[in-house]
């Protein structure tokens, strides 16, 4: 209720200023519309500070476009800007807006000078040698898109260095992304702030990203930074990754005004679209206007939102955009499943009884659309049992799982994921010295568990495990178990199959066992023991990582640096501060705990 009252107060204050008497009696640009400002521009001006010149800058360009196109409106009269508690600035509907209505249109002339193609063209004209050098650095680091990201980031810094530059009025409004207000990205946090993430997968990814950016800066500017300090480069790069749109359906550019839309997740009521021009050979002139359209009815006083990605978990939201939400349906947690005792004996039963057990296990996984939890079965090299020959589609490509509404540059993220995958394949696993699956004391598998609030499609039992549909469902589940996560119930069912020994009773229909329910007392005990041990270990690790001592990041698979009592106390003090950034950390940690607690519940 406090947040709602604050928002209502802000809207009332803006409304009292009215549509007249603002600074826009004349638009301030040749050919612009000479008219009173709309509520939208006046509300931006009312935010104060850097937003006052930005409002004038944006109004001039939008009005000029309206005049050129015969008075067409680019801003819906219901749209206004306001500060939203815990979310910075957002766009609000002053009165109801219906689905299908365009609420904001940003002309090409506004975003083109703030685009990556424009930045690259300017860099090639002024410093062609540096552009070639950046491309070589990016290629050597295994992140070819880094060259484009860096070009746009440096363009931002150069524009901000000249108050008379084309984009200065807008770029000056970009958030600092550091400190303790929202948004605040971990790349720019203090070491104590970063340490509050210990025990979560996000901690390792933040450290890897910081090293990547530091290494990139050193390689791009050898011998002293070339006048661009690491802190400024990191901020500019973070601004590009968090504020600029890109992808097959959007220009790679900053979108002034549009970037005031906050993340609505699955409840987003707006989406973006861009007009694609015929200039295929000219990247800088490829895109026309960008439009924001309501996809659902919006009530008066409701915030207008878009999705920052349909699969954006809190780890990604915090690292890229500087916030995390409570109860994020897309949250996930990577865990390590350790097979010991009866579970290990059951898994290795194919060593005693032959490869037929592995063939039966995989057939049952396909019949029920369950994920495979290991890259190779015990007899994967046996004749006729090569999983590489399995027929069926693999929907794990980025186009299937990423939201096309507002694609974002993800080169650095992809580099992180490749490094993690490489580590897993080398057998890196906590403090165990990297012992892999072939050792005598344990078998370790990694998989991703989804948040309990996330719906998961129910896959009907296939009629035949050899059909393309059965292969496709199995492949899809396997991809989910390695990326966006599967629910504990699916993971438990899959474990039951992996631990079959061939001596279990038949299923209800007299055929193979049905893994959606307990198969045998011994099989069930072994599968639940694996789940329970994994969840308990991860929960203990999350708590121990914040206490004095060394600790282990179980999710990321590496040993943490040791905390002394003073540093542990400083971390706890930060966590109790209640500041915006800390609220995001607590949202992230709580989401991880909810996943692990649900996993633990399924083990009992």
């Amino acid at each position: 209720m406090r947040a709602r009252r604050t928002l209502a107060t802000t809207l009332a204050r803006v409304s009292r200023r009215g549509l007249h008497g603002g600074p826009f009696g004349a638009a301030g640009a040749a050919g612009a519309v000479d008219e009173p400002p709309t509520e939208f521009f006046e509300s931006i001006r009312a935010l104060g500070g850097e937003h006052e010149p930005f409002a004038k800058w944006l109004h001039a360009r939008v009005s000029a476009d309206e005049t050129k196109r015969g008075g067409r409106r680019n801003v819906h009269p219901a749209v206004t800007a306001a500060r939203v508690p815990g979310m910075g600035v957002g766009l609000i509907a002053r009165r109801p807006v219906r689905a299908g209505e365009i609420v904001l249109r940003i002309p090409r002339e506004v975003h083109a000078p703030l685009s990556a193609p424009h930045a690259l063209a300017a860099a090639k004209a002024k410093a062609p040698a540096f552009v070639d050098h950046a491309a070589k650095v990016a290629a050597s680091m295994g992140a070819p898109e880094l060259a484009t990201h860096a070009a746009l980031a440096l363009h931002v810094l150069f524009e901000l260095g000249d108050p008379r530059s084309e984009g200065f009025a807008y770029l000056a409004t970009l958030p600092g992304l550091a400190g303790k207000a929202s948004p605040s990205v971990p790349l720019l946090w203090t070491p104590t702030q970063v340490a509050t993430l210990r025990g979560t997968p996000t901690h390792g990814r933040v450290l890897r990203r910081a090293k990547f950016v530091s290494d990139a800066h050193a390689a791009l500017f050898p011998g002293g930074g070339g006048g661009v300090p690491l802190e400024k480069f990191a901020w500019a790069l973070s601004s590009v990754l968090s504020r600029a749109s890109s992808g097959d359906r959007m220009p790679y550019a900053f979108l002034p005004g549009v970037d005031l839309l906050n993340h609505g997740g699955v409840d987003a009521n707006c989406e973006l679209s861009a007009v694609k021009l015929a200039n295929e050979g000219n990247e800088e002139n490829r895109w026309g206007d960008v439009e924001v359209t309501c996809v659902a009815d919006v009530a008066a006083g409701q915030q207008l939102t878009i999705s920052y990605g349909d699969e954006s978990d809190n780890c990604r939201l915090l690292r890229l955009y500087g916030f995390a939400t409570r109860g994020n349906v897309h949250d996930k947690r990577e865990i390590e499943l350790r097979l010991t005792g009866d579970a290990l004996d059951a898994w290795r039963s194919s060593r005693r009884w032959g490869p037929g057990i592995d063939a039966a296990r995989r057939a049952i996984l396909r019949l029920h659309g369950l994920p495979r939890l290991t890259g190779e079965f015990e007899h994967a090299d046996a004749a006729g049992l090569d999983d590489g020959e399995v027929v069926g589609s693999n929907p794990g490509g980025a186009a299937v799982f990423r939201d096309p509404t507002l694609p974002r540059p993800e080169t650095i993220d992809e580099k992180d994921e490749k490094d993690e995958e490489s580590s897993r394949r080398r057998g890196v696993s906590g403090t165990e010295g990297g012992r892999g699956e072939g050792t005598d004391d344990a078998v370790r598998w990694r998989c991703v568990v989804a948040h309990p609030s996330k719906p998961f499609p129910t896959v009907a039992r296939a009629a035949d495990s050899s059909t393309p549909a059965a292969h496709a469902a199995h492949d899809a589940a396997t991809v989910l178990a390695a990326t966006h996560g599967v629910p504990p119930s699916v993971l438990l069912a899959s474990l039951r199959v992996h631990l079959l020994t061939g001596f279990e009773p038949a299923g209800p229909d007299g055929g193979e066992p049905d893994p959606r329910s307990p198969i045998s007392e011994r099989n069930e005990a072994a599968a639940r023991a694996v789940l329970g041990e994994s969840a308990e270990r991860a929960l203990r690790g999350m708590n121990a990582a914040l206490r004095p001592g060394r600790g282990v990041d179980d999710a990321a698979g590496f040993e943490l640096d040791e905390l002394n009592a003073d540093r542990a106390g400083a971390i706890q003090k930060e966590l109790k501060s209640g500041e915006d950034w800390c609220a995001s950390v607590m949202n992230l940690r709580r989401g991880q705990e909810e996943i692990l607690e649900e996993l633990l519940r399924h083990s009992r």
Side-chain angles (χ1 to χ4, degrees):
M1 292 301 293
R2 180 171 61 89
R4 188 170 298 174
R5 286 199 302 271
T6 303
L7 183 56
T9 302
T10 303
L11 289 173
R13 188 167 59 247
V14 170
S15 296
R16 284 196 298 271
R17 291 189 177 97
L19 297 176
H20 304 277
F24 305 117
V33 176
D34 186 7
E35 63 177 14
T38 66
E39 186 77 17
F40 176 63
F41 300 107
E42 177 65 12
S43 64
I44 293 177
R45 187 199 67 80
L47 296 172
E50 294 85 357
H51 286 88
E52 291 191 35
F54 168 56
K56 185 175 182 178
W57 178 92
L58 184 61
H59 185 260
R61 285 153 180 78
V62 170
S63 296
D65 180 76
E66 290 175 338
T67 296
K68 182 175 67 176
R69 305 196 188 200
R72 178 195 67 172
R73 284 292 184 185
N74 285 325
V75 182
H76 193 291
V79 179
T80 189
R83 297 193 184 279
V84 182
M87 302 181 76
V89 177
L91 297 186
I92 314 296
R94 289 191 305 121
R95 57 176 183 264
V97 181
R98 291 175 297 181
E101 292 190 72
I102 295 174
V103 293
L104 186 61
R105 181 186 294 109
I106 299 300
R108 179 193 170 281
E109 289 74 12
V110 175
H111 65 73
L114 298 165
S115 68
H118 179 85
L120 274 174
K124 288 177 180 177
K126 296 178 181 178
F130 177 80
V131 174
D132 292 340
H133 170 65
K136 292 176 182 177
V137 168
S140 69
M141 298 185 71
E145 291 300 318
L146 172 64
T148 306
H149 301 336
L152 186 52
L154 294 174
H155 183 69
V156 169
L157 293 177
F158 294 152
E159 290 277 292
L160 284 172
D162 181 6
R164 297 167 300 177
S165 66
E166 170 67 17
F168 180 86
Y170 160 69
L171 295 172
T173 67
L174 294 179
L177 299 179
K180 300 185 176 182
S182 180
S184 176
V185 295
L187 179 63
L188 304 177
W189 284 359
T190 66
T192 301
Q193 284 179 289
V194 172
T196 61
L197 299 170
R198 286 167 61 103
T200 72
T202 309
H203 182 248
R205 301 197 71 169
V206 168
L207 295 180
R208 283 190 291 274
R209 168 167 288 196
K211 184 177 187 308
F212 179 90
V213 172
S214 178
D215 291 347
H217 178 266
L220 288 170
F221 309 104
V228 181
L230 173 60
E231 293 77 13
K232 287 189 175 182
F233 178 72
W235 169 82
L237 191 60
S238 296
S239 296
V240 166
L241 293 174
S242 65
R243 305 285 285 204
S245 66
S246 75
D248 294 336
R249 296 172 55 188
M250 294 294 295
Y252 184 0
F254 288 94
L255 304 175
V258 171
D259 61 0
L260 297 179
L261 291 159
N262 284 317
H263 174 64
V266 296
D267 298 318
N269 50 36
C270 296
E271 67 178 11
L272 304 187
S273 61
V275 176
K276 200 170 187 179
L277 304 178
N279 301 313
E280 294 292 344
N282 188 337
E283 189 66 26
E284 190 171 356
N285 296 321
R286 182 183 176 192
W287 296 100
D289 298 350
V290 173
E291 296 178 343
V292 182
T293 305
C294 280
V295 295
D297 291 342
V298 180
Q302 186 177 351
Q303 188 175 184
L304 299 164
T305 59
I306 57 175
S307 172
Y308 290 5
D310 278 349
E311 293 292 341
S312 290
D313 63 325
N314 274 340
C315 177
R316 183 174 187 270
L317 289 176
L318 184 60
R319 288 182 297 108
L320 283 183
Y321 306 111
F323 67 90
T325 61
R326 184 69 184 269
N328 186 344
V329 68
H330 298 303
D331 253 351
K332 58 188 178 183
R333 169 76 188 210
E334 185 185 52
I335 62 167
E336 182 184 74
L337 300 170
R338 295 183 184 179
L339 274 61
T340 60
D342 285 348
L344 183 60
D345 290 342
W347 167 243
R348 289 183 170 161
S349 61
S350 59
R351 292 185 178 183
R352 297 190 298 273
W353 307 110
I357 294 176
D358 281 336
R361 288 167 174 165
R362 281 178 291 180
I364 296 174
L365 290 174
R366 289 193 294 267
L367 275 174
H368 295 274
L370 295 172
R372 186 171 59 250
L373 301 177
T374 177
E376 295 184 1
F377 278 73
E378 290 285 282
H379 288 80
D381 56 349
L385 294 177
D386 184 1
D387 272 311
E389 299 176 358
V390 171
V391 178
S393 64
N394 184 345
V400 173
F401 291 112
R402 285 184 55 195
D403 171 36
T405 303
L406 187 62
R408 300 282 179 153
E410 292 189 15
T411 301
I412 298 176
D413 276 355
E414 291 166 2
K415 179 82 166 59
D416 288 346
E417 290 163 4
K418 289 176 182 177
D419 290 344
E420 290 174 7
E421 178 63 21
S422 176
S423 296
R424 292 175 200 145
R425 290 179 178 177
R426 290 195 301 268
V428 175
S429 181
T431 59
E432 302 288 345
R435 290 196 292 269
E437 186 173 301
T439 60
D440 291 332
D441 61 339
V443 166
R444 293 172 171 80
W445 300 331
R446 289 191 180 277
C447 67
V448 181
V449 185
H451 193 271
S453 64
K454 185 170 187 174
F456 193 81
T458 301
V459 179
R461 181 187 182 280
D464 187 336
S465 66
S466 64
T467 63
H471 280 295
H474 168 59
D475 288 346
T478 300
V479 169
L480 288 176
T483 54
H484 301 301
V486 295
S489 59
V490 172
L491 181 56
L492 177 58
S494 182
L495 270 174
R496 288 169 179 149
V497 178
H498 283 72
L499 302 184
L500 289 175
T501 64
F503 292 92
E504 288 79 10
D509 60 356
E512 79 286 334
D514 182 353
R516 299 289 180 173
S517 56
I519 294 172
S520 72
E521 186 175 335
R522 182 171 183 178
N523 176 276
E524 189 70 5
R528 289 179 181 266
V530 171
L531 278 191
E533 190 277 334
S534 298
E536 288 177 353
R537 175 169 24 88
L539 284 167
R540 286 197 306 269
M542 285 188 67
N543 294 324
L546 299 178
R547 295 196 294 264
R550 181 166 290 276
V552 173
D553 191 328
D554 182 71
F558 66 86
E559 194 171 86
L560 299 171
D561 61 315
E562 188 166 354
L563 288 181
N564 58 34
D566 290 342
R567 191 170 174 222
I571 293 171
Q572 291 294 336
K573 183 178 179 180
E574 292 278 26
L575 284 172
K576 296 175 182 177
S577 67
E579 294 161 322
D580 286 347
W581 74 274
C582 179
S584 290
V585 171
M586 296 305 293
N587 286 341
L588 182 142
R589 297 189 72 92
R590 184 56 192 148
Q592 297 285 295
E593 291 171 347
E594 287 170 351
I595 294 169
L596 296 173
E597 288 166 358
E598 182 69 7
L599 193 66
L600 193 60
R601 187 180 70 81
H602 275 77
S603 73
R604 293 170 176 165

